Amino acid sequence: MNSIEKRAIAGIGGIFALRMIGLFMIVPVFSVYGNNYAHATPLLIGLAVGIYGLGQALFQIPMSMAADKFPRKPMIFLGLLLFAIGGVVAATATDIYQVIIGRALAGSGAVSAILMALLADVTREQQRTKAMATMGLTIATSIMLSFAIGPMMVASLGISGLFWLTAVFALVAMLLLLFVPTPLRVLRHNLANQSIGEQLKEVLRIGDLNRLHIGIFALHLTMTAIFVIVPQQLADVLDLSVRQQGMVYLPLLFIGFAIAIPFIIIAEKKRKMRQIFLAALTLLVAAFVCLALGSKLSYVLLFGLGLYFIGFNLLEATIPSWISKKAPVANKATAMGINSSSQFLGAFFGGALGGMLLSQGPMLAWGLLGAVMAVALVLILPISQPPYLTSTTLAIPKQVDVTAWSQQVMSVGGVDEVVVMPKDGVAYLKLDKQKIDDYSRQLLSQLTETKLDI
């Protein structure tokens, strides 16, 4: 990777980590501490946990579509600002309804898809898989770490202190955004003339993208429901306080992470993404079978959670990479926005469902969540391997009009997208190798005054 790509991964990864830890460290403790708020009921507690997902689901698509038409970074800043305001509202709450409002506000800062699209803009095709997989692992690790951090910190900070911490994280993320490269995108198709309906239709007609949306929906529905239900189970079966439960999640996280990494590498390098993806879904179904059948046995409960963490890490790491490969060039943020909306809509329903299942038996709860994952596996089964594309890097000649030069490069046959970073003096080209011929290579060489190996 070059310095631009490394800087982008570090900055965007940091923003993702801060957002995810801020959002999810509340999840494993709120089903217990939420009872301290006025008017709290099991259903409202579950709603407070999952409501941020509804905000994300509602705003992810419109914000992402706007980010395909306008610069991405101002949209990200707006989303982080909403995230900070939501943290403050929840931190100052005395009743459950204000917590729900604060979580919904934080959720409305829907920038996950825009961050992924920005990362795709500033990474070359041959490095994008690595970048997206790294980001997926960052997200998965941040979520899992938050489940360990929340229980450890709630005793000293209190539940309101955790909400204040989310607001601080949002402010730090805004500072990190300043260090992320700012690209100038030049596309073959002018999105300014494309209607919202056409923009959505282009993405929604791709069947494999829709299967990925189903996968992320089911994954986050079950994940959010688990961490509404499991604190009480760990207390009943292992006699652990909420604070002690963080020490259960942490080793399971690292074991799951260590086991998942080799399979993620195989999926990417050996082009076995479909096989690994379907195996991970099957593993999640098996995890719920363990949890349902052994819910009263401590070692089976821990084994089932360990299996879930492995499958979660595998899916969370591979889905962003797959989306970046399969999404239309001009509508990357829109495709990622639909996927993120599916993800957070799943979290919303998972929180509400987990709240309703709190008063039910563990076998019924785990069995129902296992059925959700099994249905997702059946629907996703026809998915095909993702495409593997290529790109190249051009040095921008000195003393040229960058906009005019970019349009000249864009006019060359076989060039589908140009992302220009004037401050760094480089441009990334997304290429269709079947359309690149000797004449196209000659034109690109003339425009850059260098011989190209493409």
Side-chain angles (χ1 to χ4, degrees), residues 104-125:
L105 269 174
S108 66
V111 296
S112 297
I114 309 174
L115 284 166
M116 284 296 194
L118 178 60
L119 181 63
D121 289 342
V122 296
T123 52
R124 294 162 293 167
E125 284 291 335

Side-chain angles (χ1 to χ4, degrees), residues 17 45 74 82 98 111 140 144 178 210-211 220 224 267 274 324 340 348 352 389 398 414 421-422 425:
I45 288 172
L82 289 170
Q98 187 173 334
V111 296
M144 294 295 123
L178 298 175
N210 294 329
R211 293 183 183 96
H220 280 260
T224 308
R274 179 181 183 273
S324 72
S340 291
F348 168 70
L389 307 173
K398 295 180 180 179
M421 283 159 285

Side-chain angles (χ1 to χ4, degrees), residues 352-373:
L353 180 61
M356 289 188 287
L357 292 174
L358 271 175
S359 57
Q360 305 299 319
M363 182 173 287
L364 174 62
W366 298 132
L368 182 58
L369 294 176
V372 170
M373 193 57 67

Side-chain angles (χ1 to χ4, degrees), residues 147 308 347:
F147 295 150
Y308 186 88

